[in-house]
Amino acid sequence: MAKRHSPSRRALVYVVCDDTVAKRLKRAEGHPRNILQMMDEHRSCRELAQQIQPVEMAISQAKKMLIQDHIDYCLQDAVGELDADSQRTIDEFK
């Protein structure tokens, strides 16, 4: 029988982050199919580029959220509490 662990603070954050990231990615999910259909219809490059941009933005935002989560919880959990200067450096990086 598998050993069950109680959810950690990090696991709870992942649930929130994953849900938000999933929503962003699901929003972008249909766009590539539409773009392929537009290509089959020989639509203009400008129209194709306009449709690709929202997909790029959605993926970029999802990536930023995952990195932010990693910095906030994974890295800081690994190193523990930081002095004010170190925390300021991390905050500036974010």
Side-chain angles (χ1 to χ4, degrees):
M1 178 181 265
K3 188 175 184 181
R4 298 190 79 166
H5 299 282
S6 62
S8 67
R9 176 175 160 248
R10 186 182 324 166
L12 294 174
V13 171
Y14 283 152
V15 169
V16 172
C17 181
D18 286 348
D19 186 48
T20 305
V21 170
K23 285 179 184 175
R24 286 186 181 276
L25 294 176
K26 285 178 183 177
R27 192 177 311 138
E29 181 179 24
H31 285 288
R33 280 188 297 275
N34 293 339
I35 294 167
L36 289 170
Q37 182 178 350
M38 291 172 67
M39 291 174 78
D40 289 342
E41 296 168 354
H42 304 287
R43 303 280 285 272
S44 73
C45 293
R46 183 180 62 80
E47 289 177 292
L48 294 170
Q50 287 175 333
Q51 293 302 312
I52 290 172
Q53 198 271 338
V55 175
E56 288 178 324
M57 291 301 296
I59 291 171
S60 177
Q61 289 299 318
K63 179 181 171 183
K64 285 179 186 178
M65 293 175 74
L66 288 170
I67 291 170
Q68 183 73 39
D69 182 64
H70 181 69
I71 291 169
D72 286 345
Y73 300 100
C74 299
L75 292 179
Q76 287 188 346
D77 281 354
V79 298
E81 292 296 318
L82 300 173
D83 60 64
D85 287 336
S86 297
Q87 184 62 50
R88 192 174 312 111
T89 300
I90 289 177
D91 291 343
E92 289 172 4
F93 176 75
K94 294 189 237 181

